[in-house]
Amino acid sequence: MTNNAENDALVLVDNAFGKLPDHILIEIFIRVPVSEWAQISCVKKQWANLFRGECLWHAALNRTYPFAGQAKRWPGPIPRGLSRRRYTALYVSKQIFALDGEIDEIVGHTYLFLKEQLELSTMPPPSGILHGTIIDQFIACGKSRDAAHELASQIWLTVLDNLEENEHTFLLLKRLAQEGDVFLPYPYTKSIKVQWRVFEKLFTDFRDCFNHVDYYDVLACAKNKFQPIPSAWLGY
């Protein structure tokens, strides 16, 4: 009897929600924690369509980030996108970078841009082009050269730390490590911290992925860039 009662209650709830118009459902969903949105979108096709559409994300953007609509024009090479993209960028800025006193949409967009280029592309552009695009975006949006370089470095380090540990990432890091050095004026040179992190991840997180030849090729690149290198990197 208990199971039947529970099933009847679920049917009643489903019927009640099924009769609600989309704009009411949107007002309900945007008040639910973001961590539950993926699960909610899997319940019904109607709800999935709401999360794929623009109206829900526009409402969520206005509710969660009410000052985002007052943002100035958006110059630079990285597109701003529609409400869903903007909401994601602002969420990244707050949750991943924990910016104090300011939710900087630019940081979120550049993080998403770099992570997608590195993770989703089978042959990403050279890192110098990606880094230059990020620098140009920050400068176009009014950041100083020093601020642009510091923010770009922070984004590179965060993206590298959040890449999935799989074969694609190993091949990507190996390619970044073996890229030839190209002289570029400041702030278009990647920081030494970013270059170091690439090798550090290869020799720690992906050590078991190397074959004998690849290991010594990457180790030679590391020795050309850094002296001395950590003893933890040695020993195939």
Side-chain angles (χ1 to χ4, degrees):
M1 293 294 293
T2 303
N3 288 337
N4 289 335
E6 290 178 354
N7 290 335
D8 290 342
L10 289 173
V11 170
L12 288 173
V13 170
D14 183 57
N15 289 338
F17 268 89
K19 295 176 181 178
L20 293 176
D22 286 354
H23 71 276
I24 298 297
L25 289 172
I26 287 173
E27 290 300 321
I28 294 171
F29 293 157
I30 63 176
R31 287 165 171 77
V32 175
V34 176
S35 59
E36 298 180 21
W37 286 7
Q39 186 175 355
I40 291 172
S41 67
C42 295
V43 174
K44 297 178 64 175
K45 184 177 180 180
Q46 176 195 7
W47 298 4
N49 289 335
L50 288 178
F51 279 92
R52 281 195 291 265
E54 183 69 8
C55 292
L56 183 144
W57 294 99
H58 182 72
L61 185 66
N62 288 336
R63 183 176 190 276
T64 310
Y65 308 107
F67 298 108
Q70 304 174 14
K72 299 178 182 178
R73 67 186 184 90
W74 187 262
I78 299 175
R80 190 182 209 176
L82 299 177
S83 296
R84 179 170 186 166
R85 184 73 170 188
R86 293 191 63 202
Y87 184 95
T88 306
L90 287 160
Y91 184 85
V92 164
S93 297
K94 184 177 182 180
Q95 301 298 324
I96 295 182
F97 291 93
L99 298 176
D100 294 330
E102 179 185 9
I103 302 173
D104 199 327
E105 190 174 346
I106 309 171
V107 172
H109 279 293
T110 52
Y111 173 88
L112 294 174
F113 163 78
L114 181 59
K115 195 167 192 292
E116 289 168 353
Q117 289 291 317
L118 296 180
E119 275 192 337
L120 301 180
S121 176
T122 55
M123 185 59 68
S127 63
I129 293 176
L130 294 175
H131 184 72
T133 301
I134 292 172
I135 293 294
D136 287 342
Q137 180 64 48
F138 282 128
I139 291 176
C141 290
K143 303 294 184 182
S144 68
R145 285 156 50 92
D146 289 344
H149 191 264
E150 180 59 32
L151 285 168
S153 298
Q154 186 181 0
I155 288 166
W156 268 102
L157 293 171
T158 307
V159 168
L160 290 172
D161 287 342
N162 282 283
L163 292 174
E164 293 186 18
E165 292 190 13
N166 53 32
E167 183 181 6
H168 176 81
T169 298
F170 169 65
L171 296 175
L172 168 69
L173 292 173
K174 191 170 67 169
R175 179 186 167 199
L176 292 175
Q178 294 175 314
E179 278 184 346
D181 289 328
V182 178
F183 174 77
L184 294 170
Y186 181 84
Y188 292 96
T189 49
K190 294 197 303 295
S191 76
I192 198 70
K193 292 185 293 185
V194 173
Q195 298 177 54
W196 181 278
R197 186 66 57 84
V198 170
F199 287 95
E200 183 178 50
K201 290 186 72 65
L202 279 170
F203 289 126
T204 55
D205 298 347
F206 294 92
R207 176 182 288 273
D208 294 339
C209 297
F210 282 108
N211 60 40
H212 190 81
V213 174
D214 282 345
Y215 170 77
Y216 285 105
D217 283 346
V218 174
L219 184 63
C221 293
K223 289 181 176 179
N224 284 334
K225 290 178 181 290
F226 313 112
Q227 285 295 338
I229 60 174
S231 59
W233 293 6
L234 301 174
Y236 174 67

PDB file of all heavy atoms in Angstrom, residues 94-123:
ATOM      1  N   LYS A  94      32.904  33.364 -10.761  1.00  0.00           N
ATOM      2  CA  LYS A  94      32.647  33.387  -9.317  1.00  0.00           C
ATOM      3  C   LYS A  94      33.079  32.104  -8.636  1.00  0.00           C
ATOM      4  O   LYS A  94      33.719  32.130  -7.578  1.00  0.00           O
ATOM      5  CB  LYS A  94      31.164  33.640  -9.066  1.00  0.00           C
ATOM      6  CG  LYS A  94      30.809  33.772  -7.589  1.00  0.00           C
ATOM      7  CD  LYS A  94      29.337  34.107  -7.413  1.00  0.00           C
ATOM      8  CE  LYS A  94      28.995  34.290  -5.928  1.00  0.00           C
ATOM      9  NZ  LYS A  94      27.564  34.616  -5.729  1.00  0.00           N
ATOM     10  N   GLN A  95      32.731  30.948  -9.225  1.00  0.00           N
ATOM     11  CA  GLN A  95      32.951  29.672  -8.548  1.00  0.00           C
ATOM     12  C   GLN A  95      34.376  29.159  -8.683  1.00  0.00           C
ATOM     13  O   GLN A  95      34.910  28.552  -7.751  1.00  0.00           O
ATOM     14  CB  GLN A  95      31.971  28.624  -9.100  1.00  0.00           C
ATOM     15  CG  GLN A  95      30.515  28.981  -8.930  1.00  0.00           C
ATOM     16  CD  GLN A  95      30.100  29.128  -7.479  1.00  0.00           C
ATOM     17  OE1 GLN A  95      30.581  28.397  -6.618  1.00  0.00           O
ATOM     18  NE2 GLN A  95      29.211  30.055  -7.197  1.00  0.00           N
ATOM     19  N   ILE A  96      35.006  29.371  -9.835  1.00  0.00           N
ATOM     20  CA  ILE A  96      36.352  28.833 -10.056  1.00  0.00           C
ATOM     21  C   ILE A  96      37.432  29.831  -9.654  1.00  0.00           C
ATOM     22  O   ILE A  96      38.419  29.477  -9.010  1.00  0.00           O
ATOM     23  CB  ILE A  96      36.528  28.402 -11.527  1.00  0.00           C
ATOM     24  CG1 ILE A  96      35.578  27.237 -11.843  1.00  0.00           C
ATOM     25  CG2 ILE A  96      37.978  28.004 -11.815  1.00  0.00           C
ATOM     26  CD1 ILE A  96      35.696  26.701 -13.254  1.00  0.00           C
ATOM     27  N   PHE A  97      37.227  31.104 -10.013  1.00  0.00           N
ATOM     28  CA  PHE A  97      38.268  32.097  -9.754  1.00  0.00           C
ATOM     29  C   PHE A  97      38.026  32.891  -8.472  1.00  0.00           C
ATOM     30  O   PHE A  97      38.935  33.548  -7.982  1.00  0.00           O
ATOM     31  CB  PHE A  97      38.393  33.061 -10.944  1.00  0.00           C
ATOM     32  CG  PHE A  97      38.947  32.400 -12.175  1.00  0.00           C
ATOM     33  CD1 PHE A  97      38.107  31.856 -13.120  1.00  0.00           C
ATOM     34  CD2 PHE A  97      40.314  32.292 -12.364  1.00  0.00           C
ATOM     35  CE1 PHE A  97      38.608  31.228 -14.246  1.00  0.00           C
ATOM     36  CE2 PHE A  97      40.828  31.667 -13.483  1.00  0.00           C
ATOM     37  CZ  PHE A  97      39.970  31.132 -14.430  1.00  0.00           C
ATOM     38  N   ALA A  98      36.792  32.841  -7.945  1.00  0.00           N
ATOM     39  CA  ALA A  98      36.463  33.501  -6.676  1.00  0.00           C
ATOM     40  C   ALA A  98      36.969  34.934  -6.640  1.00  0.00           C
ATOM     41  O   ALA A  98      37.681  35.343  -5.726  1.00  0.00           O
ATOM     42  CB  ALA A  98      37.035  32.700  -5.505  1.00  0.00           C
ATOM     43  N   LEU A  99      36.610  35.699  -7.671  1.00  0.00           N
ATOM     44  CA  LEU A  99      37.053  37.092  -7.742  1.00  0.00           C
ATOM     45  C   LEU A  99      36.445  37.895  -6.604  1.00  0.00           C
ATOM     46  O   LEU A  99      35.252  37.798  -6.326  1.00  0.00           O
ATOM     47  CB  LEU A  99      36.649  37.695  -9.092  1.00  0.00           C
ATOM     48  CG  LEU A  99      37.266  37.011 -10.318  1.00  0.00           C
ATOM     49  CD1 LEU A  99      36.728  37.623 -11.598  1.00  0.00           C
ATOM     50  CD2 LEU A  99      38.770  37.116 -10.282  1.00  0.00           C
ATOM     51  N   ASP A 100      37.266  38.684  -5.925  1.00  0.00           N
ATOM     52  CA  ASP A 100      36.818  39.443  -4.768  1.00  0.00           C
ATOM     53  C   ASP A 100      36.170  40.757  -5.197  1.00  0.00           C
ATOM     54  O   ASP A 100      36.791  41.578  -5.872  1.00  0.00           O
ATOM     55  CB  ASP A 100      38.002  39.756  -3.841  1.00  0.00           C
ATOM     56  CG  ASP A 100      38.583  38.494  -3.224  1.00  0.00           C
ATOM     57  OD1 ASP A 100      37.802  37.547  -3.025  1.00  0.00           O
ATOM     58  OD2 ASP A 100      39.793  38.458  -2.954  1.00  0.00           O
ATOM     59  N   GLY A 101      34.911  40.917  -4.803  1.00  0.00           N
ATOM     60  CA  GLY A 101      34.237  42.192  -5.020  1.00  0.00           C
ATOM     61  C   GLY A 101      33.797  42.432  -6.447  1.00  0.00           C
ATOM     62  O   GLY A 101      33.192  43.446  -6.748  1.00  0.00           O
ATOM     63  N   GLU A 102      34.085  41.519  -7.352  1.00  0.00           N
ATOM     64  CA  GLU A 102      33.722  41.732  -8.747  1.00  0.00           C
ATOM     65  C   GLU A 102      33.594  40.382  -9.443  1.00  0.00           C
ATOM     66  O   GLU A 102      34.423  39.511  -9.295  1.00  0.00           O
ATOM     67  CB  GLU A 102      34.795  42.553  -9.463  1.00  0.00           C
ATOM     68  CG  GLU A 102      34.480  42.781 -10.947  1.00  0.00           C
ATOM     69  CD  GLU A 102      35.619  43.497 -11.664  1.00  0.00           C
ATOM     70  OE1 GLU A 102      36.694  43.641 -11.049  1.00  0.00           O
ATOM     71  OE2 GLU A 102      35.427  43.875 -12.809  1.00  0.00           O
ATOM     72  N   ILE A 103      32.500  40.217 -10.152  1.00  0.00           N
ATOM     73  CA  ILE A 103      32.332  39.023 -10.973  1.00  0.00           C
ATOM     74  C   ILE A 103      32.690  39.432 -12.388  1.00  0.00           C
ATOM     75  O   ILE A 103      31.921  40.096 -13.071  1.00  0.00           O
ATOM     76  CB  ILE A 103      30.895  38.488 -10.891  1.00  0.00           C
ATOM     77  CG1 ILE A 103      30.532  38.167  -9.445  1.00  0.00           C
ATOM     78  CG2 ILE A 103      30.728  37.255 -11.761  1.00  0.00           C
ATOM     79  CD1 ILE A 103      29.090  37.789  -9.244  1.00  0.00           C
ATOM     80  N   ASP A 104      33.863  39.069 -12.814  1.00  0.00           N
ATOM     81  CA  ASP A 104      34.387  39.553 -14.080  1.00  0.00           C
ATOM     82  C   ASP A 104      34.025  38.590 -15.202  1.00  0.00           C
ATOM     83  O   ASP A 104      34.579  37.504 -15.317  1.00  0.00           O
ATOM     84  CB  ASP A 104      35.909  39.717 -13.986  1.00  0.00           C
ATOM     85  CG  ASP A 104      36.428  40.635 -15.069  1.00  0.00           C
ATOM     86  OD1 ASP A 104      35.846  40.642 -16.166  1.00  0.00           O
ATOM     87  OD2 ASP A 104      37.405  41.348 -14.815  1.00  0.00           O
ATOM     88  N   GLU A 105      33.084  39.003 -16.033  1.00  0.00           N
ATOM     89  CA  GLU A 105      32.608  38.153 -17.112  1.00  0.00           C
ATOM     90  C   GLU A 105      33.709  37.826 -18.117  1.00  0.00           C
ATOM     91  O   GLU A 105      33.733  36.744 -18.711  1.00  0.00           O
ATOM     92  CB  GLU A 105      31.442  38.848 -17.826  1.00  0.00           C
ATOM     93  CG  GLU A 105      30.700  37.981 -18.802  1.00  0.00           C
ATOM     94  CD  GLU A 105      29.474  38.662 -19.387  1.00  0.00           C
ATOM     95  OE1 GLU A 105      29.041  39.701 -18.841  1.00  0.00           O
ATOM     96  OE2 GLU A 105      28.957  38.161 -20.394  1.00  0.00           O
ATOM     97  N   ILE A 106      34.641  38.738 -18.291  1.00  0.00           N
ATOM     98  CA  ILE A 106      35.714  38.521 -19.264  1.00  0.00           C
ATOM     99  C   ILE A 106      36.537  37.284 -18.888  1.00  0.00           C
ATOM    100  O   ILE A 106      36.903  36.478 -19.740  1.00  0.00           O
ATOM    101  CB  ILE A 106      36.656  39.742 -19.340  1.00  0.00           C
ATOM    102  CG1 ILE A 106      35.868  41.027 -19.536  1.00  0.00           C
ATOM    103  CG2 ILE A 106      37.674  39.580 -20.459  1.00  0.00           C
ATOM    104  CD1 ILE A 106      36.703  42.282 -19.397  1.00  0.00           C
ATOM    105  N   VAL A 107      36.830  37.138 -17.613  1.00  0.00           N
ATOM    106  CA  VAL A 107      37.626  36.002 -17.152  1.00  0.00           C
ATOM    107  C   VAL A 107      36.908  34.693 -17.458  1.00  0.00           C
ATOM    108  O   VAL A 107      37.510  33.722 -17.938  1.00  0.00           O
ATOM    109  CB  VAL A 107      37.918  36.125 -15.641  1.00  0.00           C
ATOM    110  CG1 VAL A 107      38.575  34.854 -15.116  1.00  0.00           C
ATOM    111  CG2 VAL A 107      38.804  37.335 -15.365  1.00  0.00           C
ATOM    112  N   GLY A 108      35.607  34.654 -17.194  1.00  0.00           N
ATOM    113  CA  GLY A 108      34.841  33.449 -17.467  1.00  0.00           C
ATOM    114  C   GLY A 108      34.827  33.088 -18.940  1.00  0.00           C
ATOM    115  O   GLY A 108      34.981  31.922 -19.308  1.00  0.00           O
ATOM    116  N   HIS A 109      34.657  34.087 -19.799  1.00  0.00           N
ATOM    117  CA  HIS A 109      34.625  33.827 -21.238  1.00  0.00           C
ATOM    118  C   HIS A 109      35.975  33.335 -21.744  1.00  0.00           C
ATOM    119  O   HIS A 109      36.026  32.425 -22.586  1.00  0.00           O
ATOM    120  CB  HIS A 109      34.223  35.090 -21.999  1.00  0.00           C
ATOM    121  CG  HIS A 109      32.745  35.330 -22.012  1.00  0.00           C
ATOM    122  ND1 HIS A 109      31.858  34.512 -22.674  1.00  0.00           N
ATOM    123  CD2 HIS A 109      31.991  36.301 -21.432  1.00  0.00           C
ATOM    124  CE1 HIS A 109      30.624  34.969 -22.510  1.00  0.00           C
ATOM    125  NE2 HIS A 109      30.677  36.045 -21.757  1.00  0.00           N
ATOM    126  N   THR A 110      37.056  33.908 -21.263  1.00  0.00           N
ATOM    127  CA  THR A 110      38.370  33.474 -21.732  1.00  0.00           C
ATOM    128  C   THR A 110      38.696  32.068 -21.228  1.00  0.00           C
ATOM    129  O   THR A 110      39.327  31.273 -21.943  1.00  0.00           O
ATOM    130  CB  THR A 110      39.471  34.463 -21.296  1.00  0.00           C
ATOM    131  OG1 THR A 110      39.382  34.692 -19.888  1.00  0.00           O
ATOM    132  CG2 THR A 110      39.316  35.789 -22.014  1.00  0.00           C
ATOM    133  N   TYR A 111      38.269  31.752 -20.005  1.00  0.00           N
ATOM    134  CA  TYR A 111      38.450  30.391 -19.488  1.00  0.00           C
ATOM    135  C   TYR A 111      37.713  29.394 -20.371  1.00  0.00           C
ATOM    136  O   TYR A 111      38.271  28.362 -20.766  1.00  0.00           O
ATOM    137  CB  TYR A 111      37.944  30.318 -18.049  1.00  0.00           C
ATOM    138  CG  TYR A 111      37.920  28.913 -17.474  1.00  0.00           C
ATOM    139  CD1 TYR A 111      39.040  28.388 -16.839  1.00  0.00           C
ATOM    140  CD2 TYR A 111      36.786  28.121 -17.579  1.00  0.00           C
ATOM    141  CE1 TYR A 111      39.026  27.099 -16.316  1.00  0.00           C
ATOM    142  CE2 TYR A 111      36.761  26.830 -17.061  1.00  0.00           C
ATOM    143  CZ  TYR A 111      37.879  26.333 -16.430  1.00  0.00           C
ATOM    144  OH  TYR A 111      37.856  25.054 -15.928  1.00  0.00           O
ATOM    145  N   LEU A 112      36.448  29.664 -20.682  1.00  0.00           N
ATOM    146  CA  LEU A 112      35.658  28.759 -21.526  1.00  0.00           C
ATOM    147  C   LEU A 112      36.278  28.629 -22.912  1.00  0.00           C
ATOM    148  O   LEU A 112      36.358  27.523 -23.468  1.00  0.00           O
ATOM    149  CB  LEU A 112      34.222  29.277 -21.645  1.00  0.00           C
ATOM    150  CG  LEU A 112      33.391  29.277 -20.359  1.00  0.00           C
ATOM    151  CD1 LEU A 112      32.041  29.954 -20.608  1.00  0.00           C
ATOM    152  CD2 LEU A 112      33.183  27.867 -19.832  1.00  0.00           C
ATOM    153  N   PHE A 113      36.734  29.756 -23.468  1.00  0.00           N
ATOM    154  CA  PHE A 113      37.359  29.748 -24.791  1.00  0.00           C
ATOM    155  C   PHE A 113      38.583  28.848 -24.814  1.00  0.00           C
ATOM    156  O   PHE A 113      38.719  27.963 -25.669  1.00  0.00           O
ATOM    157  CB  PHE A 113      37.741  31.174 -25.191  1.00  0.00           C
ATOM    158  CG  PHE A 113      38.726  31.266 -26.313  1.00  0.00           C
ATOM    159  CD1 PHE A 113      38.328  31.084 -27.630  1.00  0.00           C
ATOM    160  CD2 PHE A 113      40.067  31.534 -26.061  1.00  0.00           C
ATOM    161  CE1 PHE A 113      39.239  31.154 -28.676  1.00  0.00           C
ATOM    162  CE2 PHE A 113      40.987  31.614 -27.101  1.00  0.00           C
ATOM    163  CZ  PHE A 113      40.566  31.425 -28.409  1.00  0.00           C
ATOM    164  N   LEU A 114      39.490  29.032 -23.852  1.00  0.00           N
ATOM    165  CA  LEU A 114      40.734  28.258 -23.846  1.00  0.00           C
ATOM    166  C   LEU A 114      40.463  26.779 -23.561  1.00  0.00           C
ATOM    167  O   LEU A 114      41.030  25.901 -24.231  1.00  0.00           O
ATOM    168  CB  LEU A 114      41.694  28.827 -22.798  1.00  0.00           C
ATOM    169  CG  LEU A 114      43.053  28.135 -22.701  1.00  0.00           C
ATOM    170  CD1 LEU A 114      43.789  28.184 -24.032  1.00  0.00           C
ATOM    171  CD2 LEU A 114      43.902  28.748 -21.599  1.00  0.00           C
ATOM    172  N   LYS A 115      39.596  26.494 -22.612  1.00  0.00           N
ATOM    173  CA  LYS A 115      39.318  25.100 -22.267  1.00  0.00           C
ATOM    174  C   LYS A 115      38.691  24.364 -23.450  1.00  0.00           C
ATOM    175  O   LYS A 115      39.044  23.218 -23.743  1.00  0.00           O
ATOM    176  CB  LYS A 115      38.391  25.029 -21.048  1.00  0.00           C
ATOM    177  CG  LYS A 115      38.338  23.652 -20.395  1.00  0.00           C
ATOM    178  CD  LYS A 115      37.673  23.743 -19.021  1.00  0.00           C
ATOM    179  CE  LYS A 115      37.869  22.449 -18.239  1.00  0.00           C
ATOM    180  NZ  LYS A 115      37.152  21.314 -18.816  1.00  0.00           N
ATOM    181  N   GLU A 116      37.786  25.009 -24.155  1.00  0.00           N
ATOM    182  CA  GLU A 116      37.159  24.380 -25.313  1.00  0.00           C
ATOM    183  C   GLU A 116      38.158  24.170 -26.440  1.00  0.00           C
ATOM    184  O   GLU A 116      38.144  23.134 -27.109  1.00  0.00           O
ATOM    185  CB  GLU A 116      35.977  25.229 -25.783  1.00  0.00           C
ATOM    186  CG  GLU A 116      34.787  25.182 -24.825  1.00  0.00           C
ATOM    187  CD  GLU A 116      33.742  26.228 -25.126  1.00  0.00           C
ATOM    188  OE1 GLU A 116      33.988  27.094 -26.003  1.00  0.00           O
ATOM    189  OE2 GLU A 116      32.681  26.200 -24.484  1.00  0.00           O
ATOM    190  N   GLN A 117      39.019  25.150 -26.660  1.00  0.00           N
ATOM    191  CA  GLN A 117      40.018  25.006 -27.713  1.00  0.00           C
ATOM    192  C   GLN A 117      40.953  23.835 -27.431  1.00  0.00           C
ATOM    193  O   GLN A 117      41.312  23.072 -28.342  1.00  0.00           O
ATOM    194  CB  GLN A 117      40.840  26.299 -27.846  1.00  0.00           C
ATOM    195  CG  GLN A 117      40.095  27.476 -28.437  1.00  0.00           C
ATOM    196  CD  GLN A 117      39.769  27.273 -29.900  1.00  0.00           C
ATOM    197  OE1 GLN A 117      40.592  26.801 -30.671  1.00  0.00           O
ATOM    198  NE2 GLN A 117      38.558  27.629 -30.289  1.00  0.00           N
ATOM    199  N   LEU A 118      41.342  23.676 -26.176  1.00  0.00           N
ATOM    200  CA  LEU A 118      42.287  22.610 -25.825  1.00  0.00           C
ATOM    201  C   LEU A 118      41.619  21.248 -25.719  1.00  0.00           C
ATOM    202  O   LEU A 118      42.209  20.229 -26.088  1.00  0.00           O
ATOM    203  CB  LEU A 118      42.986  22.938 -24.500  1.00  0.00           C
ATOM    204  CG  LEU A 118      43.867  24.193 -24.490  1.00  0.00           C
ATOM    205  CD1 LEU A 118      44.498  24.379 -23.113  1.00  0.00           C
ATOM    206  CD2 LEU A 118      44.937  24.138 -25.572  1.00  0.00           C
ATOM    207  N   GLU A 119      40.380  21.203 -25.230  1.00  0.00           N
ATOM    208  CA  GLU A 119      39.719  19.921 -24.980  1.00  0.00           C
ATOM    209  C   GLU A 119      38.972  19.378 -26.189  1.00  0.00           C
ATOM    210  O   GLU A 119      38.969  18.170 -26.429  1.00  0.00           O
ATOM    211  CB  GLU A 119      38.727  20.059 -23.817  1.00  0.00           C
ATOM    212  CG  GLU A 119      39.346  19.889 -22.460  1.00  0.00           C
ATOM    213  CD  GLU A 119      38.302  19.741 -21.374  1.00  0.00           C
ATOM    214  OE1 GLU A 119      37.153  20.182 -21.556  1.00  0.00           O
ATOM    215  OE2 GLU A 119      38.640  19.165 -20.322  1.00  0.00           O
ATOM    216  N   LEU A 120      38.327  20.251 -26.935  1.00  0.00           N
ATOM    217  CA  LEU A 120      37.400  19.784 -27.967  1.00  0.00           C
ATOM    218  C   LEU A 120      38.014  19.719 -29.355  1.00  0.00           C
ATOM    219  O   LEU A 120      37.533  18.997 -30.217  1.00  0.00           O
ATOM    220  CB  LEU A 120      36.157  20.681 -28.006  1.00  0.00           C
ATOM    221  CG  LEU A 120      35.360  20.774 -26.695  1.00  0.00           C
ATOM    222  CD1 LEU A 120      34.155  21.675 -26.864  1.00  0.00           C
ATOM    223  CD2 LEU A 120      34.912  19.386 -26.240  1.00  0.00           C
ATOM    224  N   SER A 121      39.062  20.478 -29.571  1.00  0.00           N
ATOM    225  CA  SER A 121      39.662  20.510 -30.899  1.00  0.00           C
ATOM    226  C   SER A 121      40.653  19.359 -31.065  1.00  0.00           C
ATOM    227  O   SER A 121      41.474  19.097 -30.181  1.00  0.00           O
ATOM    228  CB  SER A 121      40.378  21.844 -31.134  1.00  0.00           C
ATOM    229  OG  SER A 121      41.039  21.849 -32.372  1.00  0.00           O
ATOM    230  N   THR A 122      40.564  18.658 -32.198  1.00  0.00           N
ATOM    231  CA  THR A 122      41.524  17.585 -32.460  1.00  0.00           C
ATOM    232  C   THR A 122      42.912  18.139 -32.762  1.00  0.00           C
ATOM    233  O   THR A 122      43.913  17.467 -32.542  1.00  0.00           O
ATOM    234  CB  THR A 122      41.055  16.721 -33.644  1.00  0.00           C
ATOM    235  OG1 THR A 122      40.831  17.575 -34.778  1.00  0.00           O
ATOM    236  CG2 THR A 122      39.761  16.003 -33.290  1.00  0.00           C
ATOM    237  N   MET A 123      42.980  19.364 -33.258  1.00  0.00           N
ATOM    238  CA  MET A 123      44.258  20.013 -33.533  1.00  0.00           C
ATOM    239  C   MET A 123      44.148  21.493 -33.158  1.00  0.00           C
ATOM    240  O   MET A 123      43.901  22.342 -34.001  1.00  0.00           O
ATOM    241  CB  MET A 123      44.634  19.866 -35.010  1.00  0.00           C
ATOM    242  CG  MET A 123      46.028  20.411 -35.331  1.00  0.00           C
ATOM    243  SD  MET A 123      47.354  19.620 -34.393  1.00  0.00           S
ATOM    244  CE  MET A 123      47.310  17.982 -35.113  1.00  0.00           C
TER     245      MET A 123
END
